[in-house]
Amino acid sequence: MDKNTIFGFLLITAILVVFSIVNKPSQEELETAKRRRDSLALVQQQEYERLKKIEEEEKLQALQTEPVNENDSSKITEIKEEYGAFYNTVLGEEKFYTLENDLLKLTISNKGGKIYSVELKDYKTHDSLPLILFNGDSTKFGLNFFAQRRSISTNDLYFTPTVSKTNLSAASSPETFALRLNVDADKYLEYKYTVEPGSYMVDFDINAVGLDNVIDQNIRELELDWEMYVPQKEKGKQNENIYTTILYKHYEDEVERFNGRSNKEVQSADIPTRLKWIAFKGQFFSSVLIADESFQNAQVQSVKLPDEDKFLKNFSANIGIPYNGTPSSTIPMKFYFGPNHFNTLKQYDDLDLKELVNLGGYLGRIINQFVIIPIFNLLDNFIGNYGLIILILTIIIKLVLFPLTFKSYQSQAKMRVLKPQIDEINERIPKEKAMERQQATMALYKKVGINPMGGCLPMLLQMPILFAMFRFFPSSIELRQESFLWAHDLSTYDAILEWNKHIPLISDYYGNHISLFTLLMTVSTMFSMKFNSSTTSSAQMPGMQGMMYIMPIMFMFVLNNYSAGLTYYYFLANMITLGQNAIFKAIIDEDAILKKLEAKKAKPQKKSKFQQRLEEAAKQRGYKPPKR
């Protein structure tokens, strides 16, 4: 091997060494790669567990659907091997039982011992059908645990009712219905449901009796699987979807919620700490599972379904519930199946179930809870027409805000009479000298004693009420299926024209209908903005004449699918504001205002005490101000 070959090998080796050093990943990149591998492993593990669970469910369904002869010893042996002590609960015939009071009708299945469906008797869907919160064919509810080293899932096992009656009614006193997953006479897992007259609450107790030697002894937590496909109940599916979400309350802490407006297909949360309740919330109705003490932990997930699906979303919760492993163990819980009605939920103040009614952020919730809702309920006691209630509520709000509105108009009037002088400044000083223009304008304002923000501040103080009403109307179950004028349901859009054909962009962003109250709101907003624009110099804010119409049009697209009660309120507020401005214009003498401003302008400027102290301090240091 000659020296050139040796040199070539050495050069290649050096290049490889340098290349490996230069391209060596940083510590941050190594950690990112590790997190990616860990995440991938976690996803793979979860997918493996999901597929395994599906495989077990399919195997169980196959066993349950295939006819099994009592003399078929091999099949019986297979079931015993698979389910151990619970083998005699694998086979059976599904039967249904009803437990009801004056508000609820629960249909309970012996398969899984679960609530198969819930009907709210006082309500109907938008198309006048019975209002069913969920249906058993699209719902799972069951415990998962290990017994004799076998994985047991109760969702598809057959429970035995403790009474022979198939219909129980809590007409005048509480009524209880219990089903047992029997191992033998003194060993069973029991689900006990109790309803009381006039209540949306259902007591739910899980009793494990004699299972301390059946359930694996190292288990201190049972896994409760709860899954639901949420059916559409309201006319406006897009709007209903926004308010259909999952909430959960941390133990002795705050309530959190998934963002119903999120564009994410899947939202999930892994909660390692204790929880008080988990809610599968619709726009106006919810199903809530409540622990008497607390749940240990939970994993919750919301999956958005395609628009053409008959369901809105798929909710699931994997909940850890405490288990003490004693010969007789009781896990007390409750269900709330009912409306998201503020006063109804207020009865359970210690549970914070009021959070199911979305009243906005901190300030909006205070305004709604302590001002708007009490006034609304007071009017509801005397007036049966909700269109009139909204009208009177709007007038009351406008009367309360009248001083701010009047002050804002006065400030606008002052700006309006000064507009010729502002225009003269803009003509005298070229637009290239923007800073000089601004200084001259502010000097004029200072001379006449005008705060240019004086007209804006009163309006800004009104914004929290506007936002509070934005939350109040779409969440008010009182407006549900209440008609007014052409609006058949004030809780959803008031379509005067609808079509089925998909029109690109229009159908995607505006919808397949035209809401009249939204159009009226848009037109009245434009008139209001047109009136207010006369106070602003067009030369000072070029382009505003066109820009001021963009916002109302944007809101028209956004609110076209929203509650007619909300757009009706905004329309009324705009019309009352226009009426107020017309009255103000008639009673306020702008010539007199101009004379007062000119008189103030002619007066010598009085120095503030702070400015006087600054000048005195400067003189003491020997500074002489220039002569004017």
Side-chain angles (χ1 to χ4, degrees):
M1 185 180 294
D2 60 19
K3 63 179 182 179
N4 290 332
T5 303
I6 296 172
F7 178 76
F9 275 118
L10 291 175
L11 182 60
I12 291 171
T13 303
I15 291 172
L16 291 173
V17 170
V18 172
F19 181 80
S20 63
I21 293 173
V22 170
N23 289 278
K24 181 181 179 181
S26 64
Q27 185 63 30
E28 183 179 349
E29 290 173 330
L30 289 172
E31 291 177 357
T32 301
K34 184 178 183 300
R35 285 196 299 270
R36 189 181 295 114
R37 289 194 301 271
D38 292 344
S39 299
L40 183 60
L42 179 61
V43 170
Q44 290 174 340
Q45 177 65 24
Q46 290 175 342
E47 181 65 11
Y48 169 77
E49 292 175 356
R50 187 182 71 85
L51 293 174
K52 185 178 178 182
K53 187 175 290 186
I54 291 173
E55 183 182 350
E56 290 173 353
E57 289 175 355
E58 289 177 346
K59 187 174 181 180
L60 177 58
Q61 288 174 2
L63 285 171
Q64 292 173 339
T65 53
E66 290 177 9
V68 179
N69 192 302
E70 291 182 359
N71 298 321
D72 190 348
S73 58
S74 62
K75 183 65 69 174
I76 298 297
T77 301
E78 181 184 349
I79 293 175
K80 286 183 177 180
E81 181 64 28
E82 185 74 21
Y83 294 95
F86 291 92
Y87 81 94
N88 59 350
T89 66
V90 173
L91 303 176
E93 180 184 352
E94 187 169 20
K95 296 179 181 179
F96 297 101
Y97 307 84
T98 59
L99 177 62
E100 59 185 312
N101 61 14
D102 51 325
L103 301 176
L104 296 172
K105 181 179 180 181
L106 311 181
T107 300
I108 300 171
S109 171
N110 67 327
K111 187 176 182 181
K114 62 192 176 188
I115 298 176
Y116 186 86
S117 67
V118 176
E119 179 185 345
L120 301 185
K121 294 183 177 181
D122 289 345
Y123 299 93
K124 300 290 182 182
T125 63
H126 70 96
D127 45 2
S128 301
L129 296 175
L131 196 144
I132 307 296
L133 284 182
F134 57 85
N135 189 286
D137 292 333
S138 59
T139 304
K140 290 182 181 179
F141 188 87
L143 289 174
N144 299 323
F145 53 87
F146 281 90
Q148 299 171 337
R149 297 183 181 180
R150 295 170 175 87
S151 177
I152 302 297
S153 177
T154 67
N155 184 70
D156 292 312
L157 300 180
Y158 288 92
F159 286 64
T160 302
T162 58
V163 295
S164 58
K165 291 198 302 182
T166 59
N167 192 319
L168 296 92
S169 177
S172 57
S173 60
E175 189 68 60
T176 297
F177 180 66
L179 306 95
R180 292 177 179 176
L181 196 66
N182 291 312
V183 172
D184 55 40
D186 57 351
K187 294 180 181 180
Y188 56 83
L189 181 72
E190 181 181 64
Y191 287 177
K192 184 182 289 186
Y193 301 96
T194 303
V195 297
E196 296 185 8
S199 177
Y200 289 106
M201 281 288 185
V202 178
D203 285 338
F204 173 54
D205 294 338
I206 298 177
N207 299 313
V209 177
L211 298 181
D212 50 312
N213 292 322
V214 178
I215 296 176
D216 289 0
Q217 294 185 358
N218 61 335
I219 289 179
R220 289 296 173 265
E221 180 182 293
L222 303 180
E223 184 182 284
L224 177 61
D225 266 343
W226 184 26
E227 182 179 354
M228 178 192 300
Y229 281 84
V230 184
Q232 180 184 354
K233 307 175 192 69
E234 312 304 327
K235 178 182 176 183
K237 185 174 183 180
Q238 181 180 348
N239 189 46
E240 185 182 2
N241 229 329
I242 291 173
Y243 297 95
T244 301
T245 189
I246 293 178
L247 288 82
Y248 49 91
K249 176 176 170 58
H250 295 278
Y251 181 69
E252 295 183 345
D253 207 341
E254 62 184 10
V255 175
E256 289 193 53
R257 69 181 68 222
F258 286 170
N259 182 4
R261 289 180 168 81
S262 173
N263 291 323
K264 292 182 179 179
E265 294 297 322
V266 178
Q267 295 184 74
S268 60
D270 189 349
I271 309 155
T273 53
R274 297 164 72 190
L275 294 171
K276 184 62 179 178
W277 52 257
I278 296 172
F280 292 169
K281 175 189 175 299
Q283 183 177 5
F284 294 120
F285 306 97
S286 293
S287 303
V288 189
L289 181 61
I290 307 164
D292 268 27
E293 182 59 28
S294 68
F295 301 125
Q296 299 288 81
N297 50 66
Q299 291 176 319
V300 291
Q301 180 175 275
S302 169
V303 179
K304 187 182 294 186
L305 301 177
D307 291 339
E308 60 272 13
D309 201 296
K310 66 178 181 178
F311 297 103
L312 299 173
K313 293 177 181 177
N314 170 256
F315 292 153
S316 60
N318 186 272
I319 308 166
I321 58 177
Y323 171 70
N324 57 24
T326 58
S328 180
S329 176
T330 298
I331 306 166
M333 291 178 275
K334 288 182 177 66
F335 282 108
Y336 173 81
F337 298 122
N340 302 331
H341 181 248
F342 187 83
N343 283 351
T344 300
L345 297 170
K346 198 176 178 181
Q347 301 173 47
Y348 316 108
D349 220 16
D350 56 323
L351 296 173
D352 282 339
L353 289 180
K354 298 192 303 292
E355 293 290 333
L356 293 172
V357 183
N358 188 0
L359 297 177
Y362 179 75
L363 189 56
R365 176 166 284 275
I366 289 176
I367 293 171
N368 277 320
Q369 184 170 342
F370 297 106
V371 180
I372 304 301
I373 291 177
I375 295 174
F376 188 90
N377 290 337
L378 179 64
L379 295 173
D380 195 14
N381 291 333
F382 299 99
I383 303 171
N385 187 300
Y386 283 91
L388 293 179
I389 290 175
I390 295 173
L391 172 61
I392 297 171
L393 178 64
T394 309
I395 292 172
I396 293 172
I397 292 171
K398 282 297 184 179
L399 287 174
V400 172
L401 296 175
F402 182 83
L404 291 176
T405 308
F406 184 69
K407 188 174 180 62
S408 176
Y409 188 89
Q410 280 184 317
S411 181
Q412 291 173 7
K414 292 176 182 179
M415 298 287 287
R416 188 159 45 246
V417 298
L418 283 181
K419 186 173 180 291
Q421 297 182 44
I422 300 297
D423 290 342
E424 187 274 328
I425 290 173
N426 291 331
E427 290 175 6
R428 177 165 47 85
I429 302 174
K431 62 181 179 181
E432 291 80 11
K433 299 181 179 180
M435 183 63 71
E436 190 175 338
R437 265 190 182 186
Q438 186 178 5
Q439 289 174 343
T441 303
M442 295 307 295
L444 174 63
Y445 288 153
K446 186 177 180 181
K447 283 182 181 180
V448 298
I450 286 181
N451 180 1
M453 296 297 292
C456 299
L457 289 176
M459 297 302 296
L460 288 175
L461 292 174
Q462 300 180 45
M463 292 302 291
I465 294 180
L466 290 176
F467 287 126
M469 304 308 282
F470 180 79
R471 295 293 189 183
F472 171 74
F473 284 108
S475 300
S476 298
I477 193 172
E478 292 87 349
L479 301 181
R480 185 177 184 270
Q481 297 177 358
E482 294 290 341
S483 61
F484 179 68
L485 299 178
W486 57 85
H488 299 295
D489 186 346
L490 286 170
S491 71
T492 187
Y493 57 82
D494 55 312
I496 57 168
L497 180 64
E498 296 185 80
W499 59 91
N500 293 322
K501 186 177 180 181
H502 180 83
I503 303 174
L505 296 180
I506 291 178
S507 296
D508 296 330
Y509 296 99
Y510 183 69
N512 278 11
H513 64 270
I514 296 174
S515 300
L516 183 53
F517 274 131
T518 306
L519 284 181
L520 293 173
M521 177 205 71
T522 303
V523 173
S524 61
T525 303
M526 288 180 173
F527 273 113
S528 182
M529 296 185 77
K530 178 70 174 175
F531 179 87
N532 292 332
S533 69
S534 61
T535 65
T536 306
S537 170
S538 59
Q540 190 179 7
M541 301 186 74
M544 280 298 293
Q545 295 298 318
M547 285 290 292
M548 70 178 184
Y549 296 114
I550 293 179
M551 283 294 288
I553 292 173
M554 287 176 60
F555 275 110
M556 180 184 72
F557 274 80
V558 172
L559 297 178
N560 190 58
N561 290 298
Y562 271 63
S563 159
L566 176 66
T567 50
Y568 170 52
Y569 163 76
Y570 284 154
F571 166 66
L572 289 176
N574 287 338
M575 296 306 295
I576 293 173
T577 300
L578 285 170
Q580 286 177 331
N581 287 341
I583 295 171
F584 295 156
K585 188 174 182 179
I587 64 175
I588 292 178
D589 188 346
E590 294 188 358
D591 291 335
I593 290 176
L594 181 59
K595 287 179 181 179
K596 287 182 180 179
L597 294 179
E598 291 292 346
K600 198 168 187 178
K601 181 180 176 183
K603 289 181 180 180
Q605 294 288 312
K606 186 178 179 181
K607 297 177 181 178
S608 67
K609 291 182 179 180
F610 178 70
Q611 187 177 359
Q612 292 174 10
R613 287 197 297 268
L614 284 178
E615 290 182 359
E616 186 63 31
K619 287 179 181 178
Q620 290 176 2
R621 290 196 301 268
Y623 173 76
K624 294 182 179 181
K627 294 181 179 180
R628 297 185 179 181

